[in-house]
Amino acid sequence: QVQLVESGGGLVQAGGSLRLSCVAAGSIFGPNTMGWYRQAPGKQREVVATITTGGITNYAASVKGRFTISRDNGKKTVDLQMSSLKPEDTAVYYCNIQMMFLKSVFEYWGQGTQVTVSS
C-alpha cells in the first residue's frame, strides 16, 4: 500500500507561480512513473505531467513551457513547479504513482490539492 500526500496548493493571481509537492509513504518498487493530474469542475481528470524513475518527463500541451516536474527517488517525492499560471489552470491537482511488478500495474492517488488562479 502506498499513500500519497500533496501540499502546496492555494490561491494565486494570473501570471503567478506555485509549487506542488507530493511525498509517498510505503513501499515503492520496480519501474514506476509518478505524475500530476488535475480535474476542473465539470471536466474529466487529465494528465498534467509525468516523470519516470529514470527522469523521463512528459507534459500536457497546455502546460508545456510553464510547468516543470521533478522527483527525488531517495526521498520518494515528486514536485510540480507551476509558472505563468492562467485561470484555466484552476483545478484540483492529484499526485499519482504507477508501479509495475510481475506484469501487473499498481496505481495510487493522493487526495488532491486545490489550485485556484484568479484573473
Side-chain angles (χ1 to χ4, degrees):
Q1 189 76 9
V2 174
Q3 290 183 325
L4 302 173
V5 179
E6 303 105 333
S7 61
L11 173 64
V12 65
Q13 287 188 331
S17 300
L18 277 177
R19 187 177 184 88
L20 304 183
S21 296
C22 172
V23 58
S27 297
I28 296 179
F29 46 84
N32 64 81
T33 299
M34 298 188 79
W36 289 93
Y37 292 68
R38 67 187 181 187
Q39 187 167 17
K43 295 187 177 181
Q44 289 188 330
R45 190 173 298 188
E46 62 177 4
V47 61
V48 176
T50 61
I51 183 168
T52 67
T53 310
I56 298 173
T57 58
N58 190 34
Y59 295 91
S62 59
V63 307
K64 196 171 291 186
R66 300 188 297 122
F67 291 9
T68 302
I69 190 170
S70 60
R71 67 184 287 171
D72 185 321
N73 292 329
K75 295 181 179 179
K76 296 191 287 187
T77 60
V78 60
D79 292 346
L80 185 69
Q81 177 66 46
M82 305 183 293
S83 302
S84 301
L85 283 161
K86 305 175 181 180
E88 50 264 43
D89 294 318
T90 295
V92 177
Y93 284 69
Y94 297 91
C95 181
N96 171 276
I97 185 169
Q98 299 174 14
M99 302 179 285
M100 291 196 65
F101 182 70
L102 298 178
K103 300 183 179 180
S104 295
V105 177
F106 296 83
E107 183 174 42
Y108 298 93
W109 293 91
Q111 291 188 328
T113 185
Q114 177 70 46
V115 172
T116 303
V117 184
S118 63
S119 58

